Amino acid sequence: MKLTVGIASVVFLCLPGFGANRFDVGHLDKIRRVADPQISPDGKSIVIVVSRPNFAEDRYDADLILVDASDGRQRTLTHDRRAVSSPRWSPLGDRLAFLATGVNAKPQIFVMPMTGGDAVQVTKSAVGVQQFAWRPDGKMIAFAAADEPPKKTGEEKFNDSFEVGNDDFLVKEAALPTHLWLLPSEGGEAHRLTSGAWTLPISHPPSSPASPIAWSPDGRSIAFVQVETPHSGDGDRSTLQILDVESGEIHGLTGRTKHEGYPVFSPDGTRIAYWFPRDGETKNVNEAYWVPAAGGEGTNATKGIDRNIQRAIWTPDGKSLLVGANEGTTVGLWIQPLDGGAARRVPLGKACPNSTFWVDVAVGPRGEIAFAGSEPQHPAELYYLASAAGPVKRLTEFNQEVAALELGKTETIEWQGPDGFSMDGVVTYPPDFAPGRKYPLVLYIHGGPRSASKEVFSSRSQMLAANGWVIFEPNYRGSDNLGNAFQAAIWNDSGDGPGRDVMSGVELLKKRGFVDENRMAVSGWSYGGYMTTWLLGHFPVWKVAIAGAAVTNWVDQYNLGDANVRRGAAFGGSPYVGDHMAAYLEQSPITYASKIKAPTLILSDTGDYRVPITQSFELYHALKDNGVPAKFFAYPVTGHSPSDPVRLRDVDRRWVGWLREYLGSTGAGTEATR
């Protein structure tokens, strides 16, 4: 996955060519993350989560900030609370609930009166609260929490064996299900609502948040998603369910057995919107469906948009959905009527909502829209539209100091790629870019692959461009920004087709005359690391490379990653059935590692459940055994990439430093040879 926090190299900061006013490591403590806007029930205020890096303690400190929707005035609601997240207004707007670290160092629900006073911890979950939702009358809160491990006594307390299922290779204990609980919003004893071997969805970042629980407007029912088992590889066995809170009875809605998620009741309670892939095929775009609350066959509401929908929210009148998806090199929002009418695009200008597998947007009581997002030369802020007709207004300036720096200009480029596809990508130029000069070209390839490079503020791209390099972020087939045919074309063609797509974009830039063809680099994280290693083994044009958390061996990915057996669909089936193994090997970059010549920096977390570090070890040995300069650095943490500020800074120190070693860094281009 694409990392979104960029940091420059401390080791090389004293080299000549860095402008004093360019983005570098010294500005990192100035960047604020803005997320999860929630519009108050009266529409007058918006609460957001604002996080800042704390390098001394190696964490991000978050606060809840209340912003006036009319003029942007702010009030800080929380102080010195750890791990603050998920603010949610009570139905009357008189209270605000949120998650934060409780007295047992686990996430708990706190409730704060908006008239003044301290927040009170209302849950005492031994394992921590994952998510919650107010009942419409404001008297109760439903929440999700994992089951506690069974207590063992005597000699059995030393017996820690467990049965492995479709789990990642790092699993150390039995997977436990997550279930629903209910408690009074003032605090008190929690009452279990569901139980069993099945589970509510559990989010394994980077991904969308776990499918939220949703109350019916009358407060009698809860819509949720049931997953057959808590083993991560079984996450596709997800179905919509309705819980009758009083009786405890649960029933399904559509009769399907897989791939359903994210249900939400319409304002009048008669319908439920949800996510489902087109035609039930995971290779296809995700779309917003709706189904009668009594159950039945779902209706596809967004096929006409033909984008990979990553958010669906009812409009207040219940006649339409606000939906969001990657669109070209931005994120689009549309009002999609449920009567089959054409979707209407919401005008956003250069502002782009945050969209890492989930569009960070909210809808108010009169159709107001708030979102966390950025502009190409302005880091994240809170944006607001009084109606879907616009205009868009930036309400905050948390990152104005960074936006005032000398930043590189960005632009979208488009071209006709191979196999008839129309392609696009983003180019970021050095701050002092001048036509008629030659510049090193650095490819920074997005992960996913179901994602997209967009014209947003990218701290890593800006940091790289500040070194005097042109940065190219291409979108390749498999990206989710150009429609279903483009996205699905990667199925059983994970390297060759996307590789030709990327190289066709490189050829376009070379024709523009500013690329120093002897100094080209390729880099990326996750699937961006896969594309990096694939291109290294198929196109001998690279001066240097960086492979972060790179998929290099699809067999390892099938056996050891958290999605494991679900990967089989992309190759026609299991590698151990029929002749599918041939496709896995043919599409694995490690198969072609002997052809790699470019010096390569390898980075990975030891606890990466998404792309196991085994694949980085394989790449490292393949390169070293063939005499290719290579360095391999690992971070002893859990996750697909470092999430703390200190290790993130180290990633970028090494990223910039490795490229500087082989590309040089002057902060300006060299004279073009004519």
Side-chain angles (χ1 to χ4, degrees):
M1 307 293 171
K2 182 175 177 180
L3 298 181
T4 56
V5 177
I7 303 114
S9 169
V10 168
V11 178
F12 296 94
L13 280 178
C14 296
L15 291 182
F18 252 88
N21 201 36
R22 292 191 183 184
F23 184 75
D24 62 30
V25 71
H27 301 105
L28 283 179
D29 62 352
K30 307 297 184 184
I31 289 186
R32 301 294 182 261
R33 295 178 173 182
V34 180
D36 205 4
Q38 299 291 318
I39 303 175
S40 62
D42 63 8
K44 295 180 180 180
S45 302
I46 306 162
V47 64
I48 52 174
V49 182
V50 179
S51 306
R52 62 190 183 279
N54 179 341
F55 287 100
E57 301 294 334
D58 193 23
R59 65 173 188 255
Y60 286 94
D61 292 332
D63 284 316
L64 301 182
I65 307 294
L66 188 69
V67 181
D68 189 289
S70 63
D71 59 16
R73 287 178 299 167
Q74 299 172 19
R75 178 161 63 98
T76 302
L77 300 178
T78 59
H79 300 274
D80 300 322
R81 287 196 181 275
R82 296 289 298 274
V84 171
S85 69
S86 306
R88 298 295 182 266
W89 292 95
S90 65
L92 294 178
D94 59 332
R95 291 170 291 168
L96 186 74
F98 58 91
L99 294 180
T101 300
V103 292
N104 64 347
K106 302 290 184 181
Q108 304 290 349
I109 300 172
F110 289 75
V111 175
M112 171 190 297
M114 296 307 292
T115 52
D118 293 334
V120 176
Q121 180 179 325
V122 298
T123 55
K124 300 175 182 178
S125 173
V127 292
V129 174
Q130 297 175 11
Q131 58 161 302
F132 68 93
W134 289 88
R135 196 168 73 180
D137 63 4
K139 296 179 179 179
M140 306 291 285
I141 295 176
F143 68 91
D147 286 354
E148 294 184 56
K151 291 180 172 58
K152 296 181 179 181
T153 59
E155 296 176 356
E156 276 302 300
K157 67 184 179 183
F158 302 108
N159 182 4
D160 54 5
S161 63
F162 62 95
E163 183 178 4
V164 175
N166 289 328
D167 301 297
D168 67 85
F169 84 120
L170 296 168
V171 64
K172 294 181 179 179
E173 57 189 7
L176 295 172
T178 290
H179 282 287
L180 289 172
W181 296 75
L182 187 68
L183 87 159
S185 59
E186 302 290 343
E189 195 68 27
H191 166 65
R192 178 185 279 270
L193 292 177
T194 64
S195 61
W198 58 269
T199 183
L200 271 72
I202 303 167
S203 179
H204 299 275
S207 65
S208 307
S211 186
I213 53 181
W215 283 94
S216 62
D218 62 12
R220 296 178 179 177
S221 303
I222 295 175
F224 68 97
V225 169
Q226 182 183 94
V227 183
E228 190 173 303
T229 83
H231 301 287
S232 61
D234 298 335
D236 58 344
R237 304 179 194 175
S238 59
T239 57
L240 303 181
Q241 302 289 327
I242 298 294
L243 167 69
D244 183 285
V245 175
E246 184 175 352
S247 69
E249 293 182 0
I250 297 173
H251 67 270
L253 276 172
T254 68
R256 295 191 180 100
T257 60
K258 299 178 77 173
H259 307 317
E260 295 181 326
Y262 301 86
V264 57
F265 279 95
S266 62
D268 64 4
T270 62
R271 290 177 287 188
I272 294 174
Y274 64 99
W275 293 11
F276 189 68
R278 182 181 295 185
D279 303 324
E281 297 284 344
T282 55
K283 68 180 180 181
N284 290 337
V285 293
N286 186 65
E287 296 184 300
Y289 284 67
W290 66 271
V291 63
E297 186 175 349
T299 300
N300 187 342
T302 56
K303 192 166 186 177
I305 296 176
D306 193 30
R307 291 293 184 267
N308 190 46
I309 303 300
Q310 295 289 283
R311 198 70 193 273
I313 306 172
W314 289 97
T315 56
D317 62 8
K319 296 179 180 180
S320 303
L321 294 169
L322 175 78
V323 298
N326 288 335
E327 163 71 356
T329 57
T330 188
V331 172
L333 298 178
W334 295 264
I335 299 295
Q336 174 63 67
L338 265 67
D339 62 6
R344 176 166 52 92
R345 183 81 177 267
V346 178
L348 300 179
K350 295 297 288 184
C352 181
N354 294 344
S355 176
T356 306
F357 313 108
W358 176 260
V359 180
D360 204 4
V361 63
V363 175
R366 289 176 291 277
E368 310 96 323
I369 297 172
F371 64 89
S374 71
E375 297 170 58
Q377 294 184 297
H378 197 120
E381 303 288 357
L382 173 65
Y383 294 83
Y384 175 78
L385 297 86
S387 75
V392 64
K393 179 181 180 182
R394 189 167 68 218
L395 282 181
T396 63
E397 294 291 352
F398 296 113
N399 286 303
Q400 179 57 38
E401 186 172 346
V402 174
L405 297 173
E406 184 185 4
L407 299 170
K409 303 295 184 184
T410 69
E411 71 167 338
T412 293
I413 62 170
E414 298 177 343
W415 69 97
Q416 196 65 24
D419 304 323
F421 287 121
S422 296
M423 315 288 299
D424 65 14
V426 176
V427 178
T428 302
Y429 298 95
D432 56 0
F433 178 82
R437 302 173 76 92
K438 294 281 190 179
Y439 296 83
L441 179 68
V442 177
L443 272 63
Y444 178 34
I445 306 177
H446 74 74
R450 196 167 298 183
S451 182
S453 292
K454 298 178 282 286
E455 273 202 79
V456 295
F457 180 83
S458 168
S459 52
R460 174 161 293 159
S461 294
Q462 289 292 344
M463 196 165 301
L464 296 176
N467 284 269
W469 310 324
V470 173
I471 314 306
F472 178 37
E473 299 177 72
N475 290 316
Y476 48 89
R477 72 187 69 184
S479 302
D480 66 353
N481 62 323
L482 293 173
N484 191 68
F486 189 65
Q487 176 179 297
I490 200 173
W491 241 238
N492 213 17
D493 183 16
S494 55
D496 186 49
R500 289 185 287 113
D501 293 341
V502 171
M503 295 309 296
S504 67
V506 172
E507 290 303 312
L508 173 69
L509 292 178
K510 286 163 61 175
K511 290 177 181 177
R512 294 192 173 184
F514 55 73
V515 174
D516 182 343
E517 298 183 26
N518 294 316
R519 291 193 294 167
M520 297 198 303
V522 59
S523 66
W525 196 275
S526 190
Y527 210 92
Y530 170 88
M531 288 305 306
T532 293
T533 51
W534 180 271
L535 293 170
L536 284 171
H538 288 79
F539 299 92
V541 298
W542 310 107
K543 180 76 170 178
V544 61
I546 300 169
V551 178
T552 65
N553 187 329
W554 284 117
V555 179
D556 273 14
Q557 197 69 0
Y558 179 90
N559 288 325
L560 306 178
D562 64 332
N564 52 73
V565 298
R566 285 185 277 152
R567 302 283 182 188
F571 300 92
S574 164
Y576 306 112
V577 175
D579 59 359
H580 297 142
M581 180 65 81
Y584 283 76
L585 298 178
E586 182 183 4
Q587 296 174 51
S588 292
I590 200 67
T591 301
Y592 312 96
S594 64
K595 299 180 179 180
I596 298 176
K597 304 302 180 187
T600 301
L601 174 66
I602 303 166
L603 303 169
S604 182
D605 287 358
T606 60
D608 191 343
Y609 45 71
R610 183 63 44 83
V611 180
I613 196 173
T614 56
Q615 300 179 65
S616 291
F617 274 98
E618 292 173 36
L619 178 63
Y620 177 70
H621 288 299
L623 297 181
K624 296 295 284 187
D625 292 352
N626 281 280
V628 177
K631 286 189 177 181
F632 180 11
F633 292 92
Y635 299 92
V637 292
T638 298
H640 186 42
S641 63
S643 58
D644 61 291
V646 171
R647 291 184 181 88
L648 276 169
R649 178 172 59 190
D650 190 73
V651 169
D652 274 318
R653 281 174 173 166
R654 300 189 187 282
W655 204 293
V656 173
W658 187 257
L659 294 179
R660 280 184 171 184
E661 183 175 346
Y662 292 94
L663 297 180
S665 176
T666 63
T670 56
E671 290 293 344
T673 3
R674 299 188 182 277

